[in-house]
Amino acid sequence: MNMDAIVSLCRRRGFLFQSSEIYGGLNGFWDYGPLGVELKRNIREAWWRDMVTSHNELVAPPGAPSPFAMVGLDCTIIMHPQVWKCSGHYDLFHDYMVDCRESKRRYRHDQVQGRWVSKEDRRIFVATELVGAEAEEDILHKALKFFGLRAKDAESLCWESPVVCLTTVDDFSRVLAPDAKTLGTLTPPREFNLMFKTYVGALSGEENTAFLRPETAQGIFVNFKNVLDSTRVKIPFGIAQLGKSFRNEITPRNFTFRSREFEQMEIEFFCRPESSRLWYEYWRNRRYQWYVDLGLSRERLRLRDHDASELSHYSCGTADVEYAFPFLAPGDFGELEGIAHRGDFDLRSHMEGKLVRQGDRLVVELGPNGQPKHRGSGRDLSYFDDETREKFIPHVIEPSAGADRAALAFLCEGYQEDEAPDEHGKPTKRVVLRLHPRLAPIKAAVFPLVKKDGMPEIARDIYAALKPLCNVFYDEKGAVGRRYRRQDEIGTPFCITVDSQTLSDGTVTIRDRDTLKQWRIRSDDCPAAILGLISGTTQIPE
Ligand code: GAP
């Protein structure tokens, strides 16, 4: 898997462009091109369909403790500022940054690493932003340069540590920053809140400050009562929402992996406290399987339980679905989705005010005047069970995924270079994007073999019949082998070709992108066949 090749394909074939590229781009912002927008829509639609609209609330799905309901919401990006004060984002949603006085560059404290090295009586920490083997190379190169040595003198350097994070270093006067030539140019780490600020209305004072949401989840919590009162859902049930979120990341990086504007797909699942562990297990496994079912290989995907030190102060358990992205060092994984057991933290925060942990209890945080530091809504967000006549605050399981990270993982997984016979039967290199048919931007391409003998007319009729059902592409230009290659490269799973046999018996060939198998069907049957192949109800013939 070669990240440069994937990035180049995304640009060349219109999956992803840098935002505002003609003005030099804007770091951390990405635009989806004509094919990228289809891929991302398909991911969102697969998630919405699989989690919400196709969910049958009358039966318990495999592994679920009981039947449950699922509904959706679409909330605003800008919400009442108190939402973020009570949720904890206003006080706590920050990263630490360090600035380099020499290069004027800014780094995330925990994303700089380096090695201690000495030469004679000088001991320094050589820092880099790179990872894996590239980090080792960069550190060696910088150390040689700093001490004025040539590569052949590398053995005179005494390495005192493996690659460690800058967070382990106390004395910054010994640090050679990633883009600096002199020592001690980094400022001490400073907190940086990741929420983007804006102003509501014409005045731009502190009172009118609002935030672009850094997650979609809070819209669900503050509408919990509205959903209960306006529908007939009963616990256990889930509320799903997908949409844009914004984080002013200090160092956006790795293509779209860490962006400043991105899309989330989140579920808040409300259940009784005593069954919450079982629901946590259910969602943890279900969400992992979703990625497998859509084509991510188990070899590159893992479900990692957080250890106690990683858990947020309110979380009773969290697991991440992680993918071995090709831009990471071997053995490293990047988060696709987190599944968190959040207890009653969120609903209580919006009732009572911002909570903090005191021993093993969550209590309202008080300000210097002894009053709640951030006052809650005062609304009763508890649930009344009319069968057991009990009133309680539901516990929450939160599967929270990123649509852009999912798109990136599917692109990375799908990208392959193999060999396939060209139109003369000669094996030639082929770039193929093995996207699951549900996710592929174009489901089928329709070709007349040649632009004569009535073939284009038949192909256009097939195209017209398919067009209302799914996204299809018509192409009559160039050699048919080249047309296949262009579709393989963008992940089109099926190609339909009208040839001379079509003129005599009304059949066309269907070619499968992955196996390269070709078989014939009646041209009238194309709509049913393509829909069946996409949904998996029709199998590719043996
Ligand atoms: N409500 C919980 C929450 O927001 P999170 O782990 O911060 O949890 C959930 O975010 C998911 O959102 C991540 O697993 C990731 O897929 C996506 N995500 C978070 N920050 C992102 C960023 N800067 N760029 C792209 N995706 C991001």
Side-chain angles (χ1 to χ4, degrees), residues 446 448 451 455-465 474 476 498:
V446 187
K451 262 200 282 182
M455 290 184 207
E457 288 75 10
I458 300 172
R460 279 176 203 189
D461 284 347
I462 295 171
Y463 176 70
Y474 176 79
E476 57 181 29
V498 172

Side-chain angles (χ1 to χ4, degrees), residues 316-381:
C316 321
T318 297
D320 286 344
V321 181
E322 298 179 330
Y323 183 71
F325 285 99
F327 48 77
L328 299 172
D332 282 357
F333 287 75
E335 179 185 330
L336 280 181
E337 171 162 353
I339 300 99
H341 183 309
R342 297 176 64 93
D344 60 5
F345 173 81
D346 305 279
L347 291 176
R348 271 190 61 202
S349 303
H350 289 301
M351 281 169 74
E352 302 168 21
K354 188 192 161 206
L355 300 174
V356 283
R357 182 164 288 286
Q358 208 172 71
D360 56 3
R361 289 183 324 128
L362 288 169
V363 297
V364 175
E365 185 177 2
L366 301 180
N369 58 3
Q371 296 298 312
K373 183 174 179 204
H374 298 303
R375 210 173 276 284
S377 67
R379 294 289 181 85
D380 182 4
L381 302 182

Side-chain angles (χ1 to χ4, degrees), residues 398-409:
E398 178 191 69
S400 170
D404 307 83
R405 287 200 188 165
L408 188 56

